[in-house]
Amino acid sequence: MPRTKTAAIPTAESGFKTDFSKTLSAQLRESCKNRPHLTYSPKIHVEAWRAESRLSSPSSAMSARAKKGKFSNSASSPKTALTEKKIANIPKATAAEKARAEKTYGEMITNLKNFPSKMTIGEDSYVGFGSSDFTLKSTDVTENKITKSINTTFTLEHKSGLEFELRCVYYPDYAAFDWVIYFTNNGKDNSPAVSDISPAELTFKGDNPTILSNFSDGGQYAPFLPQRLELKEGEKKTFAPSTGRSTEDAFPYYNFEYGNKGAFVVTSWSGQWQADFEYNNGVTAFSGRQQTFSSYLKPGETARTPLTAMVLYDGRDTDRATNLWRNWFIDCNMLKKDGENNMKPFVAGVTSAVYNEMMGATEENQKAYIEKYYNMGVNLDLWWMDAGWYEKGGLPTSGEKNWSYTGSWTVNQTRFPTKFKSISDLAASHGMMTLLWFEPERVAFSMSSPDFDTYGIKREWLVGYNSKNNSALGPNGYKMFDLSNPEALNFMINRINTVLNEGGISFYREDLNTGSIRDIWRTAETEADRQGMLENGYVQGHYALWDGILANENIQMIDSCASGGHRLDLETMRR
């Protein structure tokens, strides 16, 4: 069954060591514990620990809450003295740390032979982009005030005709920077194969190297249990998710201490990534990349690497370093829908325990519970509607399948005749917004089912579709919707936004309940010289899906759930 995702921020040790985060977390958990069916969302408590104001929005729900004083930025808003004190004491990068970051980043971009990447194109291997086989076509520098960054994009042409974009971002106040490489075939013929590509080939000089991270979600340990690994001479540590969901059994956020300094190093990829640390003779080598990629590009195709991010710091004060990371994450990464403010914490009401998620839910019983909470004086911010609201997704005792029968993404109008609009309108009248669950990547229809035609889903939109035997790939009878297919992607963006807009929904919640996506990608990549290309296009398509939903002015936020906390990479969290 779907479940609320776990905390999204990497912690090098057991937690955020200032009292404020613990206090806020405890308050929200206690609030939910004492009120039946309330949902505590760790992502939101993390996003809002700096007590910044809620988004300004013309929506009726937010306007209603503003009238009640809940979004106020004035001195009378309910900030405690403790909150103000802790905000004032948030550690900042020192001048020395900023100078080290500026020097490191500058060496990387002022001479592209130092760019920390490697790849093979055809028969030629490259480290960095200093070879005469690359011609610099343009350099574009812009400032982004929302992310507090200076963005530099280098466009280079390789002798093969492949075009490379190095998208580099520097955060001068945070001793931080990140980068990603895109490459496109603008020619009329297939490109040479690109293989052994890694955007992050880094070295760290210093003794007693120590990796601080956690065990993520899934596997033999409790979710997000901290781990500490001290590298010995000649030792190599490799990390990778087990299934293709980016934070299942591995967490791509590392607080790496070496000598008397450290660096947070992140490999962000919503697919199957790999990160290696190897220590020899006082130097630790780090490599972070898409685990499998060896492919030519067809004309017009674009591929990209994972994003790599770093935050540099001095000393070995783990608590301070963790908070430097958090400061950068919150200020420069979290979605600010209005361009200025992070979302504040909220309390959500939900009837999942009463109506088996949404399988037994109707418009009338949802509205009845909203009124019940309101009349009892329970001050909710959000009404949460989870799995089972779509056609054939209801209770089997009512002649439907159950919540796992996804694929129609069409509202069951027998149970929800106004397509949620009357629920959202009532919620808005009480100063609340509404959230709706989707699982867009999994199709439960059998290949012979008329439901494909009924709901407008083309079979060729499934991963690994074979028209000769009418088959596609997926676990346990399910199939995977192919987000690398542009037509399928556009359909999904439009279908989801239509449901959200018609229902007056403000929050989009996404789930992925399969642990087989890596194996599906590998099986579908039947061409030996196209390994990793389907995955690459799929991940790009997934980011484009989220961007298409966030472009909807009615949507305030995306909540990412993949059977819990199994997809929490940095680029996911930025959306």
Side-chain angles (χ1 to χ4, degrees):
M1 297 286 282
R3 63 185 176 92
T4 304
K5 76 175 182 181
T6 0
I9 300 293
T11 54
E13 288 292 300
S14 59
F16 182 32
K17 295 299 182 70
T18 62
D19 292 339
F20 172 55
S21 181
K22 289 184 177 179
T23 300
L24 179 55
S25 174
Q27 288 174 343
L28 290 176
R29 289 187 187 278
E30 192 64 27
S31 175
C32 296
K33 178 180 177 182
N34 294 332
R35 301 177 186 176
H37 318 311
L38 297 190
T39 300
Y40 166 70
S41 175
K43 175 182 178 183
I44 305 306
H45 120 238
V46 171
E47 288 190 352
W49 66 276
R50 294 190 66 200
E52 293 183 330
S53 65
R54 191 183 288 262
L55 303 170
S56 260
S57 169
S59 75
S60 57
M62 301 188 86
S63 298
R65 293 187 63 74
K67 291 177 182 177
K68 294 160 73 172
K70 295 184 180 180
F71 300 162
S72 174
N73 282 326
S74 68
S76 61
S77 62
K79 289 185 178 180
T80 64
L82 175 63
T83 298
E84 298 289 3
K85 178 180 178 181
K86 295 304 177 184
I87 290 176
N89 291 336
I90 293 171
K92 305 290 186 182
T94 65
E97 289 166 334
K98 293 177 186 178
R100 182 158 73 95
E102 182 179 14
K103 181 176 184 293
T104 304
Y105 179 74
E107 290 173 347
M108 182 174 107
I109 69 166
T110 55
N111 188 340
L112 293 181
K113 74 176 184 180
N114 297 324
F115 201 85
S117 64
K118 70 171 184 175
M119 74 183 79
T120 297
I121 304 175
E123 300 298 321
D124 299 317
S125 296
Y126 303 94
V127 175
F129 289 87
S131 169
S132 60
D133 290 349
F134 294 96
T135 301
L136 181 64
K137 296 175 62 179
S138 66
T139 302
D140 181 60
V141 182
T142 59
E143 182 179 2
N144 188 323
K145 293 184 178 181
I146 297 175
T147 59
K148 302 176 175 61
S149 65
I150 299 171
N151 301 3
T152 304
T153 298
F154 300 96
T155 303
L156 303 100
E157 185 173 352
H158 183 255
K159 67 179 183 179
S160 66
L162 282 170
E163 182 177 273
F164 286 81
E165 277 193 5
L166 318 181
R167 302 182 185 180
C168 310
V169 183
Y170 174 51
Y171 307 85
D173 292 334
Y174 299 85
F177 45 95
D178 61 54
W179 67 95
V180 61
I181 302 171
Y182 285 77
F183 46 107
T184 301
N185 181 5
N186 292 321
K188 297 180 179 179
D189 300 314
N190 293 339
S191 77
V194 179
S195 61
D196 192 32
I197 181 168
S198 169
E201 296 294 308
L202 309 171
T203 56
F204 302 94
K205 186 176 182 180
D207 58 4
N208 301 318
T210 303
I211 303 169
L212 302 170
S213 186
N214 67 53
F215 288 101
S216 193
D217 202 359
Q220 60 181 312
Y221 300 101
F224 303 100
L225 186 71
Q227 64 171 322
R228 177 188 181 94
L229 300 170
E230 297 180 358
L231 292 175
K232 306 301 182 185
E233 178 67 29
E235 186 175 16
K236 181 178 181 179
K237 293 289 186 182
T238 295
F239 304 90
S242 59
T243 68
R245 294 190 292 188
S246 60
T247 52
E248 185 161 1
D249 296 328
F251 207 53
Y253 303 84
Y254 305 99
N255 179 4
F256 182 62
E257 298 179 344
Y258 56 101
N260 191 35
K261 52 186 173 292
F264 276 88
V265 186
V266 176
T267 295
S268 177
W269 183 246
S270 295
Q272 188 66 22
W273 52 269
Q274 181 173 320
D276 301 311
F277 291 84
E278 186 171 7
Y279 180 58
N280 291 289
N281 301 317
V283 177
T284 302
F286 171 86
S287 176
R289 60 200 179 279
Q290 181 182 346
Q291 188 176 65
T292 300
F293 191 91
S294 179
S295 178
Y296 67 85
L297 271 62
K298 296 177 181 179
E301 279 189 327
T302 294
R304 55 157 289 184
T305 67
L307 178 139
T308 305
M310 295 179 64
V311 177
L312 304 184
Y313 63 88
D314 295 333
R316 287 203 177 207
D317 183 338
T318 303
D319 293 346
R320 177 179 179 273
T322 299
N323 287 322
L324 288 173
W325 159 268
R326 290 173 178 270
N327 201 32
W328 173 72
F329 183 94
I330 291 166
D331 284 357
C332 306
N333 293 272
M334 293 171 112
L335 176 71
K336 298 171 176 60
K337 184 74 175 188
D338 67 349
E340 296 181 7
N341 303 299
N342 290 329
M343 186 70 71
K344 283 187 68 175
F346 61 74
V347 175
V350 61
T351 59
S352 291
V354 180
Y355 296 115
N356 294 295
E357 302 294 351
M358 289 285 283
M359 290 188 289
T362 65
E363 273 186 3
E364 293 310 311
N365 63 37
Q366 293 298 284
K367 290 190 289 186
Y369 262 89
I370 289 173
E371 290 287 16
K372 185 173 183 178
Y373 279 114
Y374 182 75
N375 291 333
M376 292 176 65
V378 179
N379 196 9
L380 299 178
D381 304 281
L382 184 72
W383 190 252
W384 187 293
M385 295 180 286
D386 219 278
W389 51 264
Y390 27 87
E391 291 281 354
K392 301 187 180 181
L395 293 169
T397 54
S398 301
E400 300 191 48
K401 301 284 189 178
N402 67 36
W403 73 267
S404 66
Y405 195 74
T406 54
S408 73
W409 307 291
T410 299
V411 180
N412 184 324
Q413 288 185 255
T414 301
R415 291 189 284 135
F416 306 98
T418 72
K419 302 181 180 180
F420 304 113
K421 187 65 167 64
S422 66
I423 299 173
S424 294
D425 286 347
L426 177 63
S429 73
H430 295 323
M432 300 161 54
M433 292 179 286
T434 51
L435 171 150
L436 191 63
W437 178 98
F438 285 81
E439 189 173 5
E441 295 167 80
R442 190 172 56 83
V443 179
F445 307 160
S446 70
M447 292 303 292
S448 60
S449 173
D451 287 343
F452 281 99
D453 295 329
T454 300
Y455 301 113
I457 312 301
K458 295 182 180 180
R459 289 173 176 82
E460 55 263 38
W461 292 347
L462 304 178
V463 173
Y465 175 67
N466 185 326
S467 60
K468 293 181 180 179
N469 59 14
N470 191 35
S471 65
L473 297 173
N476 304 319
Y478 302 127
K479 307 296 181 286
M480 297 301 296
F481 191 84
D482 189 357
L483 295 176
S484 73
N485 181 315
E487 183 183 37
L489 173 63
N490 288 333
F491 167 87
M492 186 58 70
I493 292 172
N494 291 331
R495 174 62 61 91
I496 291 173
N497 277 328
T498 296
V499 173
L500 296 172
N501 290 338
E502 289 180 347
I505 307 297
S506 298
F507 278 46
Y508 169 77
R509 172 171 167 82
E510 184 179 292
D511 209 340
L512 173 59
N513 290 297
T514 176
S516 304
I517 193 166
R518 177 197 61 188
D519 295 339
I520 294 168
W521 286 330
R522 295 293 88 84
T523 302
E525 291 167 344
T526 56
E527 297 181 56
D529 48 4
R530 294 278 285 175
Q531 296 301 295
M533 192 62 199
L534 171 63
E535 174 189 346
N536 200 284
Y538 189 105
V539 170
Q540 290 188 72
H542 194 201
Y543 294 149
L545 171 68
W546 281 343
D547 292 341
I549 293 168
L550 287 172
N552 183 340
E553 63 181 9
N554 297 319
I555 299 305
Q556 301 303 314
M557 185 182 137
I558 290 176
D559 178 65
S560 175
C561 174
S563 304
H566 293 162
R567 187 154 60 185
L568 301 176
D569 53 276
L570 183 60
E571 288 195 77
T572 291
M573 299 311 299
R574 284 180 170 180
R575 294 166 168 86

